[in-house]
């Protein structure tokens, strides 16, 4: 079997060191165990397989995509094994570890300013579209607006959770950037059990929280934040708000403090979105009375962020705590 055969069927890990009500469990799907190191392996294989079946991509073609790193890693992995060229654009806040891993697999990395506004030439999404248009025979996954992104989770992540837990699932909690994970997984779980609660986590500085609650996208609300792979400065068409019951806002400090808790008390060194997801799962768990099961995902490993969120100097420079882990206070 080749490396792609090991995508999916990741284990559920029970988190036992958080202060939640009795008989309320938190389970996290260890997506960093996918061969490309993240949950994005699922969508890349699904979309590329579909493109090959439909003749949208020819042998030796170029795959162009905008990414915060994990989709890029999955593309680079598949490109290396299937004989494609990979050209990947990303904002400059993406960790050096992620960028170096992409280059190691032969991908061309185009770094764009995080501060670039949507639809401007230097924005990483715009740059990818420009490169795609200028490269004959290239293929773009278009992960932010491609419905196959959510469909990949509807056909894999959701069924895997249901097969493991069935009717015991009370809530599914996940951050979102493209919206594929939360939309596809929630849609599947709600088809099996309509009262499953779906909660999207959105970082301060992203547009989704206000859009969900007020139907407004306010450019003045867009602000830089450090967590990679969560939130957006524009509405991704892949994000299906009809599958979502609530949107909670988290801060970088919430996510990074939870990362440290996971590492030091659960033995799980995970990325910032995993910290955000578990922080949110704890908030939801504290709003429930047992028996109940809250499920989330750990999208990637902390090995990609050792120079950032696990580096004391970086944390101190950017105003984050580095000492004893602060209490994770309930916000619901």
């Amino acid at each position: 079997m080749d490396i792609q055969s090991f995508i999916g069927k990741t284990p559920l890990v029970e988190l036992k060191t958080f202060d939640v009500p009795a008989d309320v469990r938190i389970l996290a799907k260890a997506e960093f165990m996918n061969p490309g190191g993240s949950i994005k392996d699922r969508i890349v294989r699904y979309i590329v397989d579909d493109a090959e079946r439909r003749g949208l991509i020819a042998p030796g073609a170029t795959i162009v995509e905008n990414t915060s790193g994990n989709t890029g890693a999955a593309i680079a992995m598949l490109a290396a094994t299937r004989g494609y060229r990979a050209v990947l654009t990303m904002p400059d806040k993406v960790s050096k570890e992620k960028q170096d891993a992409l280059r190691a697999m032969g991908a061309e990395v185009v770094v764009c300013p995080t501060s670039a506004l949507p639809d401007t030439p230097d924005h990483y999404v715009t740059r990818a579209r420009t490169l795609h248009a200028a490269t004959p025979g290239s293929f773009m996954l278009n992960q932010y607006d491609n419905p196959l992104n959510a469909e990949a989770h509807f056909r894999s992540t959701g069924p895997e959770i249901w097969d493991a837990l069935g009717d015991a699932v009370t809530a599914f909690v996940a951050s979102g950037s493209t919206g594929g994970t939360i939309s596809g997984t929630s849609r599947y779980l709600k088809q099996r059990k309509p009262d499953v609660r779906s909660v999207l986590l959105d970082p301060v500085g992203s547009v989704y929280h206000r859009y969900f609650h007020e139907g407004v996208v306010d450019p003045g609300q867009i602000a830089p934040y450090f967590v990679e792979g969560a939130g957006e400065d524009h509405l991704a068409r892949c994000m299906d708000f009809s599958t979502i019951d609530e949107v909670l806002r988290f801060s970088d400090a919430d996510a990074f403090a939870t990362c440290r808790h996971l590492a030091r008390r659960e033995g799980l060194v995970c990325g910032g979105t995993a910290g955000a997801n578990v922080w949110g799962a704890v908030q939801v768990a504290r709003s429930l009375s047992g028996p109940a099961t809250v499920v989330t995902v750990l999208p990637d490993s902390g090995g990609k962020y050792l120079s950032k969120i696990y580096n004391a100097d970086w944390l101190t420079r950017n105003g984050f705590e580095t000492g004893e882990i602060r209490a994770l206070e309930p916000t619901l």
Side-chain angles (χ1 to χ4, degrees), residues 63-94:
I63 300 176
V64 180
E65 188 66 11
N66 45 275
T67 175
S68 60
N70 285 329
T71 299
I75 291 171
M77 178 182 69
L78 263 71
T81 59
R82 300 190 188 190
Y84 299 124
R85 175 181 173 228
V87 178
L88 307 166
T89 67
M90 61 186 58
D92 56 16
K93 73 176 182 180
V94 170

Side-chain angles (χ1 to χ4, degrees), residues 242-294:
S242 72
T243 68
I244 298 168
D245 299 301
E246 180 60 282
V247 180
L248 300 180
R249 182 173 283 163
F250 70 89
S251 68
D252 287 322
D254 294 326
F256 298 160
T258 309
C259 283
R260 299 202 333 271
H261 181 114
L262 287 168
R264 298 180 187 180
R265 300 185 184 175
E266 298 276 0
L268 292 165
V269 180
C270 299
T273 50
N277 289 354
V278 174
W279 176 88
V282 170
Q283 311 313 309
V284 172
R286 287 172 172 168
S287 73
L288 301 171
S289 56
T293 301
V294 180

Side-chain angles (χ1 to χ4, degrees), residues 160-233:
E160 288 175 25
I161 292 170
W162 185 261
D163 289 346
L165 299 171
D167 195 57
V169 179
T170 307
F172 178 68
V173 180
S175 55
S177 179
T178 67
T181 299
I182 188 75
S183 301
T185 305
S186 297
R187 180 159 58 93
Y188 182 87
L189 294 175
K190 284 177 174 289
Q191 282 192 7
R192 302 303 299 263
K193 183 183 177 183
D195 63 350
V196 167
R197 184 178 174 192
S198 171
V199 180
L200 171 67
L201 306 171
D202 196 42
V204 174
S206 171
V207 302
Y208 289 140
H209 182 270
R210 186 171 182 189
Y211 181 80
F212 178 84
H213 289 284
E214 302 177 33
V216 172
V217 174
D218 180 6
Q221 179 189 15
I222 299 170
Y225 52 88
F226 289 105
V227 171
E228 301 175 25
E232 258 312 324
D233 55 12

Side-chain angles (χ1 to χ4, degrees), residues 136-182:
S138 63
F139 174 75
M140 187 171 178
L141 276 71
N142 194 23
Q143 62 171 324
Y144 285 86
D145 299 328
N146 191 338
L148 294 179
N149 178 344
E151 186 175 311
H153 292 288
F154 179 83
R155 297 190 179 278
S156 67
T157 315
E160 288 175 25
I161 292 170
W162 185 261
D163 289 346
L165 299 171
D167 195 57
V169 179
T170 307
F172 178 68
V173 180
S175 55
S177 179
T178 67
T181 299
I182 188 75

